[in-house]
Amino acid sequence: MINKILKNVIENQFKGYNKLQDLPISLFVYWPYCSKICPYCNFNKYRDTDKVDHERMSKSLSRELEAFVKNIYLNSNENSFIMERPIKSIYFGGGTPSLAKISTFVETIETMRKLFPSSSLSTLEDIEITLEVNPDQKDLKNLLKDFKKYVGVNRVSLGVQSLVDKDLHFLGRTHNRIQAEESIKIAKDLFDHVTFDLIYSRSIDQSLEQWRNELKYALNLAHGNGHVSLYTLTFEQGTSFYRRLSSKGSKFKIIPPDDQKSSDLYDLTVFEAEAMGFQQYEISSFASSDNQKGKHNLNYWRSGDFIGIGPGASSRLTTLNNNNNQISRYSFKNILHPKEWMEKLNSKETLCNAFIEDEFNPTSATTTTTTTTPLTNFEVAEEMLLNGLRTIEGVQLSTFTFQTNGLTFDQFLNMKQVEILQEQGFLILEPTCLKLTGNGRKLLDTIIPKILKY
């Protein structure tokens, strides 16, 4: 019996990608409006008011997806491979995408069906479709039922952030603990896949025991068909919280926990989650079972392709040049402001053809809402390390070599530093992958610069 279990585990282990047609594609749909701007959030967000033009937003999202496929995918020599690669996941994020009208995302789904007519899109059953929701959303139960019925949502992500009323107020959230608990129960009654976020290391006053009690209670709520994302509070430039770090007034000044306490809180988080049967598969991500792992974020961390539509959304596209068999990877970044983004999408230039002597050139084959950057092999490699080393499985050599046109770890990494970090117990270099240990993941931001050769 044990041998059978071990065999299944080994067979199900991710082994990387070495062919373009195996590289997954995800779709990210960004809704930039929120009922309130949280003081710690540095996302591209705007207040939701009665002036939001839902109909124009809906048309613009579909128009941008059409423009991306026409100008980017359909001009590629590898068009047959790209269009045959099915969409593996769809993520409605923000902002607060549940504030959008359901008809908006119905139109997005229908546009995607037309543009990617692969077999898995016929029923959407094989696609993870996630919707971000606030716990205090009005008439939450019926809202989620409608998103499930009409959009095909099969996974819900709740922005809980805390189960302590005092801390919810500190974080600028509009819900309370009771609403948070009720929203989790409602979501779990309707969906087989539910995740919610919690923020810890919130202030110098948060004790280990306080966080232990809150976390254990949260994990009990998530048990079964559950997933939790557990983040430390970060202070991003441009946010209210960042400004309060240097505030002179004691009433507004924020004093974060020191590095040692933050490290202790992280260790406690991992210990308690695993004790409750949740497996950590990424620095901040814990799943109650393998099938609860978020497919969409895994695709990011594994360096898959993704299309981002909406103001400020990002994309990554990998193509193959048939003339020299070289892989090229491109970064796309959308215009930030919704008004300018919509205006550009409704201009005549947006859906222009972009052929250059019948050869694909994504730098030219772009929409007027997008900035395109071709990535060098070394930029691709660095991005793979930054994302992949967040995960327990690490960076797979097969994907690394494939997407960097033949680079190996020893060609890109400072092997002397790698050896030192291995001896110190922070890093593991195996024949097929590179990964961090538990202690190494806590130091990810300092380890990456050390192991880069360039």
Side-chain angles (χ1 to χ4, degrees):
M1 181 68 177
I2 294 176
N3 289 336
K4 186 176 180 181
I5 293 172
L6 288 173
K7 182 181 178 183
N8 287 336
V9 169
I10 292 170
E11 288 177 349
N12 290 327
Q13 283 180 342
F14 177 64
K15 298 178 177 65
Y17 309 111
N18 54 25
K19 293 186 294 186
L20 184 60
Q21 51 267 54
D22 292 339
L23 200 64
I25 305 174
S26 293
L27 175 64
F28 177 72
V29 184
Y30 190 78
W31 185 262
Y33 301 106
C34 290
S35 57
K36 183 183 178 183
I37 306 301
C38 295
Y40 57 86
C41 179
N42 72 331
F43 292 170
N44 183 39
K45 72 281 182 188
Y46 306 86
R47 282 295 297 268
D48 181 60
T49 68
D50 55 8
K51 294 182 180 180
V52 174
D53 191 336
H54 286 261
E55 184 175 352
R56 197 173 185 212
M57 278 291 297
S58 177
K59 297 296 181 187
S60 296
L61 287 169
S62 291
R63 190 171 173 85
E64 182 167 53
L65 184 54
E66 289 170 348
F68 195 96
V69 170
K70 179 176 181 180
N71 292 340
I72 309 300
Y73 280 172
L74 294 185
N75 283 339
S76 169
N77 289 332
E78 286 300 303
N79 171 42
S80 60
F81 282 157
I82 291 174
M83 301 311 290
E84 288 172 9
R85 288 158 55 195
I87 298 288
K88 292 292 188 180
S89 65
I90 304 166
Y91 196 101
F92 294 103
T96 309
S98 54
L99 292 174
K101 291 184 178 179
I102 290 174
S103 58
T104 295
F105 295 152
V106 169
E107 182 174 349
T108 303
I109 292 289
E110 290 306 313
T111 301
M112 184 197 64
R113 280 179 180 269
K114 289 186 293 184
L115 296 171
F116 292 86
S118 59
S119 58
S120 64
L121 288 183
S122 59
T123 62
L124 297 180
E125 290 179 356
D126 296 329
I127 303 176
E128 177 190 87
I129 306 178
T130 303
L131 175 74
E132 289 183 347
V133 186
N134 276 343
D136 60 348
Q137 191 93 26
K138 185 179 179 182
D139 197 13
L140 180 62
K141 187 172 184 177
N142 287 325
L143 181 80
L144 291 180
K145 281 183 177 179
D146 287 344
F147 270 107
K148 181 178 183 179
K149 179 179 180 180
Y150 297 109
V151 181
V153 169
N154 52 30
R155 184 173 183 265
V156 167
S157 176
L158 293 160
V160 171
Q161 314 309 358
S162 175
L163 291 169
V164 178
D165 283 336
K166 173 177 67 70
D167 290 339
L168 285 169
H169 178 73
F170 167 69
L171 293 169
R173 303 299 289 167
T174 56
H175 62 273
N176 57 37
R177 177 184 61 81
I178 292 175
Q179 288 173 312
E181 291 181 30
E182 288 177 347
S183 70
I184 294 169
K185 292 173 183 176
I186 288 170
K188 286 174 72 68
D189 284 344
L190 292 172
F191 296 91
D192 292 331
H193 299 272
V194 176
T195 182
F196 60 88
D197 300 344
L198 288 180
I199 296 174
Y200 65 97
S201 197
R202 296 188 279 255
S203 72
I204 195 173
D205 297 325
Q206 186 180 33
S207 70
L208 292 174
E209 195 57 32
Q210 286 172 337
W211 173 234
R212 186 196 310 275
N213 293 335
E214 181 182 357
L215 176 59
K216 290 175 76 170
Y217 189 72
L219 293 170
N220 272 313
L221 291 175
H223 198 67
N225 56 332
H227 181 285
V228 287
S229 295
L230 307 171
Y231 303 101
T232 57
L233 179 62
T234 56
F235 298 86
E236 306 288 351
Q237 283 192 349
T239 65
S240 171
F241 271 13
Y242 183 82
R243 292 189 291 273
R244 287 176 62 181
L245 286 174
S246 56
S247 173
K248 295 181 180 179
S250 58
K251 181 179 179 181
F252 299 103
K253 187 176 180 64
I254 295 177
I255 303 175
D258 59 30
D259 290 344
Q260 183 57 55
K261 188 172 183 181
S262 293
S263 177
D264 292 343
L265 285 165
Y266 173 81
D267 288 340
L268 185 151
T269 299
V270 175
F271 177 83
E272 293 296 345
E274 291 182 346
M276 292 282 289
F278 284 77
Q279 41 181 313
Q280 183 188 29
Y281 65 101
E282 184 266 344
I283 287 178
S284 304
S285 303
F286 300 80
S288 60
S289 62
D290 277 342
N291 73 349
Q292 290 294 332
K293 294 177 180 178
K295 294 179 182 177
H296 189 84
N297 282 343
L298 270 174
N299 190 39
Y300 290 154
W301 298 322
R302 290 172 173 173
S303 297
D305 280 3
F306 55 94
I307 304 169
I309 59 173
S314 299
S315 304
R316 292 292 185 277
L317 171 66
T318 307
T319 66
L320 176 67
N321 188 320
N322 280 335
N323 293 328
N324 58 17
N325 266 344
Q326 290 286 297
I327 287 291
S328 297
R329 191 161 169 86
Y330 296 88
S331 167
F332 303 87
K333 180 68 176 177
N334 288 359
I335 288 172
L336 291 174
H337 200 283
K339 183 178 179 181
E340 184 183 0
W341 173 78
M342 284 187 278
E343 287 174 351
K344 292 284 188 180
L345 275 166
N346 286 279
S347 68
K348 291 182 179 179
E349 295 84 9
T350 303
L351 292 177
C352 66
N353 286 317
F355 286 93
I356 297 185
E357 298 178 351
D358 295 325
E359 288 295 328
F360 179 51
N361 187 332
T363 307
S364 300
T366 183
T367 72
T368 55
T369 59
T370 305
T371 300
T372 309
T373 306
L375 301 176
T376 67
N377 288 332
F378 290 100
E379 287 172 330
V380 171
E382 184 174 3
E383 191 171 84
M384 289 184 71
L385 291 178
L386 287 168
N387 290 326
L389 289 180
R390 294 183 61 87
T391 66
I392 306 303
E393 67 190 20
V395 178
Q396 302 302 305
L397 178 60
S398 57
T399 309
F400 185 89
T401 300
F402 166 65
Q403 290 208 357
T404 60
N405 292 297
L407 280 180
T408 57
F409 288 145
D410 61 332
Q411 290 174 299
F412 182 71
L413 300 175
N414 182 330
M415 297 308 293
K416 184 175 181 180
Q417 280 296 326
V418 169
E419 186 177 336
I420 291 171
L421 289 166
Q422 282 194 98
E423 291 174 353
Q424 293 174 339
F426 295 123
L427 194 65
I428 299 172
L429 177 61
E430 297 178 348
T432 60
C433 71
L434 176 72
K435 54 189 176 183
L436 294 174
T437 63
N439 286 331
R441 282 188 289 276
K442 291 192 291 184
L443 301 172
L444 173 65
D445 291 341
T446 58
I447 286 176
I448 293 287
K450 287 183 178 181
I451 62 176
L452 296 181
K453 185 180 289 185
Y454 300 94

